[in-house]
C-alpha cells in the first residue's frame, strides 16, 4: 500500500485540509508553527498511535463541530486478496474502495467531552458501494447474509452455494444484483465484522517510522530511541509471517488446553464450567524485544551530545538506503528537520542518503525542513509548501510556489553569485576532486575556498530547472555542465535542448556539454586498471565507451559503486600528464576558466 492522501478536519491548526503525496519523496516546507510537524504527527496517530498519542488537546478549539478526523487514502494492488473475514477476497470486487479505486479510511474522535476515551474513536471506510443494496454485505454476520441470500431463491440455486463461507454468499448475491449504479458510503469498522475488516486491513498498512527533532532530555531520549525502535520494528517485519504462524500455533494450543481444563471442571462443578470460555491475549511483537548500542567507554548513547545521537540516526538512514526491503510491506520514513544538530558535511551525506532511500522499492519518505539544501535538489512535485492564509494553514499549489519557497527558506542568500549546475552527485565529486587534485585547475579558481554552490539537478528536475529558470530574478549566474551522452541509445544527447535554452538566455548563464561521452570517460585507463585489477585493452574508443558498465561487467560491483570509486578516490589521483594523454586537460581547464570569469 502506498499512502496517497491525508485528510484532516478540526485537527490542531487545520479546520479542514487535504494533502496529496508523492509516492516516493515529500518535502514539507513552511514557517515555524505553520503545521509541518502536525502532518507527520497525524500519520503517526493514524498508523501507530505510539510515539504521538491522540489527545483532546489536538482538537481545533475554533471548530463548530465537536469532532476531529484523520483520514488516509492508499493506493493498493487491486489484484491482491485480503482476508476480511476468513477467506481471502478482493477489495474491488467487494466494493470496498472509494470512487477512485483507492482504499480510504477515516478515524474520527468525538470531542464533545473533556477527554477522549476508547469509545470516542470511530473508524469508517469510504466505499463506492452499489446503490441498490440497503445493507453493506461485507460487514454482515453470516446469519444475516443467509437471510439476504434467501431473498434471491428464485434467481439462484441456493443449495449449490457454500453457506458456511461469507465471501461465497456475497459473491452469489452480487452476481444477480445490479452493481452498476454506485455511490460513496461511509462504512463503520467498529463492531462485529466491520471490526474484523479493520483488524485485517491494519496488518497491511505501511510500516511507519517517525523521527522527531525535539529533545526530551531523559534516558529514553527520542533521538536515540526512535532509530533503535525502528531497527527492532524493521527486523520483526522481515519475519512477521513466521512469527504470526508461531502465534497462531501457541493460541490454538493454549485454547485447546483451556477447553480441556473446562471439560474436567465440568465434571466437578458444571455451574462454574458453563460460564467460562478460553480467552488469550498477546502483546505486539515489537514490545517483546529491545535493541540498543553498548559503548566500550561506559557512556550510554543517550548521555552523549545531541549531535552524536543524531549522527546515529544519520547512519541508520544511510544503512537503510543500502538495505533491501524483503518484507511485503511498504515502509514510510517520516523525518522532522533531519538537518538538526548536524555539521554541513554530515548534512550533505544525510541528504544523499535520504534521496537514495526514497528511490528504493517499497519506500516512501516524508521530511519537514528549514534548510534550502534539501529543497533545492528535489523536484517541485516533491515539495509541499504550507503558508498562512487568513489565519489558517493552506497548501500553496500556485505557479509561484517555488518563488514563495525561496523567500520562506531564504534560498537566495545561501547561494553565491555563481551556481554550478550538474546532473548528479557523482559529477559534483568529480569536479570538486579534480579541482583540488590538479594544481593548475586550483590556481585558476579554488572551488572549496570560494565556497561556490554546486547543485545536482537529477534528470527530470534538471529539465524543470532550466524550463522554469528559477533564479531569473536573483542576479545569480548559472554555469551548467552536462554529459554529452553520445552513443548511449535513447539517452543520446538527452540534454541538448536544455543546453540550447540556457545559452539562448539574455542573462550571463552558460551551458557546456562534455566532449567525451560522460564524466567517467575522463578517468585515466591506468588508474582504472590498477584499482579494479582489470585489463581495459579491449576498449577501442575510450571517449565513447560506457566506462561504468564496462567495469561493472568485468567485476562483481554494481554501477553505482563503480561510479562512487571513479569520481571519488580515483578522481583525486588524476594528474595533469594523464589528462593530457586523454586530450582532456585543456577542455577541463576551460571549464574552470569560465567558472572564474562568471564568478568575478
Amino acid at each position: 500500500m502506498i499512502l496517497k492522501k491525508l485528510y484532516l478536519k478540526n485537527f490542531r491548526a487545520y479546520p479542514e485540509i487535504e494533502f496529496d503525496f508523492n509516492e516516493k519523496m515529500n518535502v514539507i516546507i513552511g514557517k515555524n508553527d505553520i503545521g509541518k510537524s502536525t502532518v507527520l504527527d497525524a500519520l503517526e496517530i493514524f498508523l501507530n498511535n505510539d510515539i504521538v498519542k491522540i489527545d483532546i488537546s489536538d482538537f481545533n478549539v475554533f471548530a463548530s463541530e465537536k469532532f476531529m478526523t484523520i483520514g488516509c487514502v492508499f493506493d493498493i494492488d487491486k489484484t491482491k486478496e485480503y482476508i476480511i473475514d476468513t477467506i481471502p477476497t478482493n477489495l474491488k470486487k467487494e466494493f470496498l474502495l472509494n470512487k477512485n479505486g483507492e482504499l480510504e479510511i477515516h478515524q474520527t474522535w468525538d470531542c464533545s467531552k473533556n477527554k477522549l476515551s476508547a469509545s470516542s474513536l470511530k473508524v469508517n471506510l469510504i466505499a463506492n458501494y452499489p446503490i441498490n443494496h440497503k445493507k453493506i454485505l461485507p460487514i454482515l454476520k453470516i446469519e444475516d447474509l443467509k437471510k439476504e441470500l434467501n431473498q434471491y431463491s428464485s434467481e439462484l440455486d441456493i443449495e449449490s452455494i457454500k453457506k458456511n463461507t461469507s465471501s461465497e454468499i456475497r459473491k452469489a448475491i452480487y452476481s444477480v444484483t445490479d452493481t452498476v449504479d454506485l455511490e460513496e458510503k461511509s462504512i463503520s469498522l467498529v463492531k462485529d465484522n466491520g471490526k474484523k475488516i479493520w483488524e485485517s486491513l491494519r496488518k497491511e498498512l505501511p510500516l511507519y517510522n517517525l523521527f522527531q527533532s525535539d529533545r526530551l532530555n531523559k534516558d529514553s531520549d527520542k533521538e536515540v530511541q526512535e532509530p533503535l525502535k525502528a531497527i527492532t520494528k524493521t527486523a520483526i517485519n522481515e519475519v512477521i509471517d513466521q512469527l504470526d504462524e508461531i502465534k497462531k500455533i501457541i493460541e490454538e494450543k493454549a485454547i485447546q488446553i483451556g477447553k480441556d481444563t473446562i471439560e474436567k471442571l465440568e465434571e466437578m462443578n458444571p455451574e462454574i464450567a458453563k460460564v467460562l470460555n478460553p480467552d488469550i491475549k498477546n502483546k505486539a511483537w515489537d514490545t517483546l524485544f529491545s535493541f540498543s548500542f553498548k559503548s566500550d567507554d561506559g557512556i550510554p548513547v543517550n548521555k552523549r551530545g545531541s549531535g552524536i545521537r543524531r549522527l546515529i540516526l544519520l547512519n541508520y538512514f544511510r544503512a537503510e538506503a543500502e538495505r533491501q526491503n524483503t518484507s511485503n510491506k511498504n515502509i514510510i520514513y517520516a523525518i522532522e528537520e533531519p538537518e538538526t544538530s548536524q555539521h554541513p558535511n554530515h548534512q550533505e551525506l544525510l541528504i544523499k542518503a535520504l534521496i537514495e532511500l526514497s528511490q528504493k522499492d517499497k519506500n516512501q519518505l516524508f521530511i519537514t525542513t528549514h534548510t534550502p539544501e534539501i529543497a533545492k535538489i528535489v523536484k517541485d512535485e516533491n515539495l509541499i509548501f504550507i503558508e498562512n492564509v487568513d489565519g489558517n494553514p493552506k497548501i500553496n499549489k500556485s505557479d509561484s510556489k517555488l518563488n514563495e519557497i525561496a523567500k520562506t527558506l531564504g534560498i537566495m542568500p545561501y547561494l553565491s553569485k555563481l551556481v554550478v549546475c550538474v546532473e548528479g552527485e557523482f559529477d559534483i565529486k568529480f569536479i570538486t576532486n579534480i579541482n583540488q587534485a590538479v594544481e593548475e585547475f586550483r590556481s585558476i579558481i579554488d572551488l572549496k575556498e570560494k565556497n561556490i554552490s554546486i547543485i545536482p539537478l537529477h534528470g527530470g528536475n534538471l529539465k524543470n530547472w532550466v524550463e522554469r529558470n528559477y533564479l531569473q530574478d536573483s542576479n545569480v549566474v548559472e554555469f551548467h555542465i552536462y554529459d554529452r551522452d553520445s552513443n548511449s541509445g535513447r539517452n543520446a544527447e538527452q540534454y541538448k535542448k536544455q543546453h540550447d535554452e540556457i545559452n539562448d538566455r539574455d542573462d550571463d548563464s552558460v551551458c557546456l556539454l562534455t566532449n567525451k561521452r560522460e564524466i567517467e570517460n575522463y578517468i585515466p585507463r591506468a588508474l582504472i586498471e590498477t584499482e579494479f585489477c582489470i585489463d581495459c585493452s579491449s576498449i577501442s574508443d575510450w571517449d565513447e565507451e560506457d566506462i561504468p558498465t564496462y567495469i561493472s561487467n568485468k567485476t562483481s560491483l554494481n554501477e553505482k559503486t563503480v561510479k562512487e570509486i571513479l569520481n571519488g578516490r580515483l578522481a583525486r589521483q588524476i594528474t595533469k600528464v594523464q589528462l593530457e594523454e586523454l586530450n582532456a586537460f585543456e577542455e577541463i581547464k576551460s571549464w574552470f576558466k569560465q567558472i572564474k570569469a562568471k564568478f568575478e
Side-chain angles (χ1 to χ4, degrees):
M1 291 188 184
I2 299 172
L3 181 62
K4 298 290 289 183
K5 295 178 185 290
L6 172 68
Y7 170 77
L8 301 177
K9 185 172 178 63
N10 301 332
F11 183 75
R12 297 188 186 174
Y14 292 100
E16 188 169 20
I17 198 166
E18 184 175 274
F19 293 88
D20 293 305
F21 295 136
N22 184 275
E23 65 178 13
K24 283 300 180 183
M25 191 173 200
N26 299 273
V27 179
I28 305 171
I29 295 169
K31 293 182 178 179
N32 285 335
D33 206 35
I34 194 66
K36 301 186 299 296
S37 297
T38 295
V39 177
L40 306 191
D41 287 353
L43 293 174
E44 164 65 20
I45 290 169
F46 185 97
L47 293 165
N48 296 328
N49 201 34
D50 180 15
I51 294 174
V52 181
K53 295 183 182 293
I54 192 72
D55 188 82
I56 190 65
S57 61
D58 293 315
F59 176 59
N60 186 311
V61 295
F62 300 107
S64 57
E65 304 158 299
K66 295 296 181 180
F67 69 87
M68 59 181 166
T69 297
I70 301 176
C72 286
V73 178
F74 302 92
D75 187 16
I76 70 166
D77 179 356
K78 297 178 180 62
T79 63
K80 183 175 179 178
E81 293 190 326
Y82 298 84
I83 299 176
I84 64 172
D85 36 47
T86 56
I87 305 297
T89 187
N90 185 282
L91 296 183
K92 182 180 180 181
K93 293 179 180 178
E94 294 281 4
F95 301 97
L96 292 178
L97 303 178
N98 67 15
K99 61 184 178 182
N100 297 319
E102 301 161 328
L103 177 64
E104 182 172 356
I105 298 171
H106 289 190
Q107 295 182 6
T108 300
W109 290 265
D110 180 356
C111 300
S112 59
K113 299 178 181 178
N114 293 329
K115 66 177 183 178
L116 302 181
S117 64
S119 61
S120 302
L121 173 63
K122 306 298 180 188
V123 182
N124 291 281
L125 184 146
I126 309 303
N128 208 31
Y129 204 75
I131 196 169
N132 62 309
H133 284 287
K134 293 182 180 179
K135 295 181 179 180
I136 308 297
L137 300 186
I139 64 172
L140 293 182
K141 294 180 179 179
I142 194 164
E143 294 79 9
D144 295 322
L145 278 173
K146 290 176 181 178
K147 292 177 183 178
E148 288 290 310
L149 180 65
N150 289 334
Q151 297 180 27
Y152 302 97
S153 57
S154 60
E155 300 161 88
L156 288 169
D157 181 7
I158 294 180
E159 295 302 320
S160 65
I161 298 169
K162 295 180 180 178
K163 297 183 210 44
N164 62 339
T165 306
S166 297
S167 58
E168 289 296 321
I169 299 176
R170 293 193 299 268
K171 183 179 178 181
I173 295 174
Y174 289 139
S175 70
V176 295
T177 58
D178 181 14
T179 57
V180 176
D181 295 327
L182 308 171
E183 67 175 355
E184 282 200 333
K185 296 181 180 180
S186 182
I187 301 174
S188 175
L189 301 182
V190 174
K191 296 180 180 179
D192 301 326
N193 280 16
K195 185 177 181 181
K196 291 180 181 178
I197 291 174
W198 177 225
E199 288 173 351
S200 176
L201 292 176
R202 284 189 70 167
K203 295 177 182 178
E204 302 292 334
L205 298 181
L207 190 66
Y208 185 77
N209 292 317
L210 173 63
F211 304 90
Q212 298 173 303
S213 66
D214 56 318
R215 183 176 176 182
L216 296 184
N217 291 317
K218 63 182 184 181
D219 287 347
S220 58
D221 194 326
K222 287 182 182 178
E223 288 169 335
V224 175
Q225 290 303 317
E226 287 171 4
L228 303 189
K229 284 184 178 179
I231 289 170
T232 305
K233 286 171 64 177
T234 302
I236 288 171
N237 194 57
E238 297 283 340
V239 293
I240 191 65
D241 291 339
Q242 296 95 306
L243 289 175
D244 284 343
E245 282 297 319
I246 293 172
K247 184 176 76 171
K248 183 179 179 181
I249 293 170
I250 292 172
E251 288 177 346
E252 289 175 351
K253 288 186 177 295
I255 289 173
Q256 186 56 53
I257 293 171
K259 288 180 178 178
D260 294 342
T261 302
I262 291 173
E263 286 181 10
K264 290 300 179 184
L265 178 61
E266 189 173 13
E267 296 175 3
M268 299 178 65
N269 193 323
E271 292 300 316
I272 295 179
K274 71 180 182 180
V275 297
L276 297 180
N277 288 295
D279 184 34
I280 184 169
K281 292 182 173 60
N282 54 74
K283 294 183 177 181
W285 286 113
D286 59 1
T287 65
L288 303 181
F289 302 89
S290 63
F291 181 88
S292 63
F293 291 109
K294 287 185 177 181
S295 175
D296 289 341
D297 58 13
I299 303 175
V301 173
N302 58 291
K303 297 298 184 183
R304 294 182 180 271
S306 179
I308 295 298
R309 294 195 305 275
R310 295 291 284 185
L311 197 58
I312 292 173
L313 180 60
L314 154 66
N315 286 285
Y316 165 75
F317 290 132
R318 294 182 69 207
E320 283 294 278
E322 295 181 3
R323 190 184 66 84
Q324 292 296 323
N325 178 5
T326 58
S327 71
N328 293 321
K329 281 190 177 183
N330 282 65
I331 300 178
I332 297 175
Y333 299 90
I335 308 123
E336 186 179 317
E337 299 175 20
E339 67 275 9
T340 301
S341 301
Q342 288 301 309
H343 185 277
N345 292 343
H346 291 164
Q347 287 189 26
E348 183 180 348
L349 287 173
L350 174 60
I351 293 167
K352 177 182 176 183
L354 293 178
I355 291 174
E356 289 179 5
L357 190 61
S358 70
Q359 292 171 347
K360 293 178 75 70
D361 188 35
K362 298 182 184 177
N363 286 356
Q364 192 173 16
L365 198 69
F366 290 80
I367 298 172
T368 66
T369 186
H370 288 119
T371 177
E373 299 307 316
I374 294 178
K376 285 189 299 187
I377 62 176
V378 299
K379 299 177 183 179
D380 61 344
E381 59 259 36
N382 300 120
L383 297 171
I384 299 173
F385 180 44
I386 307 172
E387 59 181 348
N388 190 302
V389 178
D390 299 328
N392 291 317
K394 300 286 185 181
I395 303 171
N396 186 326
K397 298 182 180 180
S398 68
D399 293 337
S400 64
K401 177 179 76 171
L402 291 158
N403 290 332
E404 294 302 318
I405 289 174
K407 293 177 185 177
T408 299
L409 292 183
I411 287 180
M412 302 315 173
Y414 274 76
L415 295 172
S416 59
K417 55 188 174 183
L418 170 71
V419 58
V420 176
C421 300
V422 296
E423 289 182 48
E425 299 289 344
F426 296 124
D427 301 296
I428 293 178
K429 284 180 178 292
F430 178 84
I431 289 173
T432 54
N433 284 333
I434 203 168
N435 177 258
Q436 297 299 302
V438 180
E439 174 60 32
E440 286 84 349
F441 298 158
R442 190 167 69 251
S443 65
I444 295 171
I445 185 167
D446 190 327
L447 298 181
K448 187 176 181 181
E449 180 185 287
K450 299 299 184 184
N451 196 27
I452 293 174
S453 298
I454 307 179
I455 300 177
L457 296 181
H458 300 292
N461 197 40
L462 184 154
K463 295 176 181 177
N464 286 338
W465 182 285
V466 174
E467 290 171 4
R468 301 182 186 185
N469 197 3
Y470 293 151
L471 301 180
Q472 62 181 337
D473 298 319
S474 67
N475 296 319
V476 175
V477 176
E478 299 177 30
F479 179 87
H480 296 249
I481 182 164
Y482 307 146
D483 293 338
R484 180 162 52 88
D485 290 318
S486 53
N487 298 329
S488 56
R490 63 184 178 85
N491 290 323
E493 298 186 337
Q494 59 177 321
Y495 299 125
K496 182 68 166 59
K497 179 175 181 288
Q498 285 70 39
H499 165 271
D500 294 343
E501 286 184 17
I502 293 167
N503 290 326
D504 287 342
R505 289 178 184 172
D506 57 5
D507 58 19
D508 210 21
S509 297
V510 67
C511 181
L512 304 177
L513 296 178
T514 60
N515 288 340
K516 300 182 188 300
R517 175 191 173 109
E518 53 191 350
I519 285 293
E520 286 76 21
N521 294 79
Y522 293 86
I523 307 295
R525 183 192 304 256
L527 289 179
I528 290 175
E529 290 183 331
T530 301
E531 173 69 29
F532 296 102
C533 300
I534 59 175
D535 179 7
C536 298
S537 59
S538 62
I539 298 178
S540 58
D541 190 341
W542 191 266
D543 289 355
E544 303 297 332
E545 181 67 40
D546 184 346
I547 301 296
T549 300
Y550 180 90
I551 297 172
S552 179
N553 291 337
K554 289 274 189 175
T555 65
S556 59
L557 301 173
N558 60 46
E559 288 189 30
K560 178 185 170 185
T561 302
V562 170
K563 288 187 175 185
E564 186 80 42
I565 295 171
L566 291 175
N567 297 289
R569 60 174 174 265
L570 293 196
R572 291 194 292 270
Q573 300 173 33
I574 296 176
T575 66
K576 175 184 176 180
V577 172
Q578 290 173 325
L579 289 176
E580 287 175 334
E581 291 173 351
L582 278 173
N583 195 28
F585 178 77
E586 292 298 329
E587 180 192 356
I588 298 176
K589 182 180 177 180
S590 72
W591 300 350
F592 293 117
K593 279 188 171 182
Q594 292 187 66
I595 290 174
K596 179 184 179 181
K598 300 299 179 184
F599 182 77
E600 294 178 347

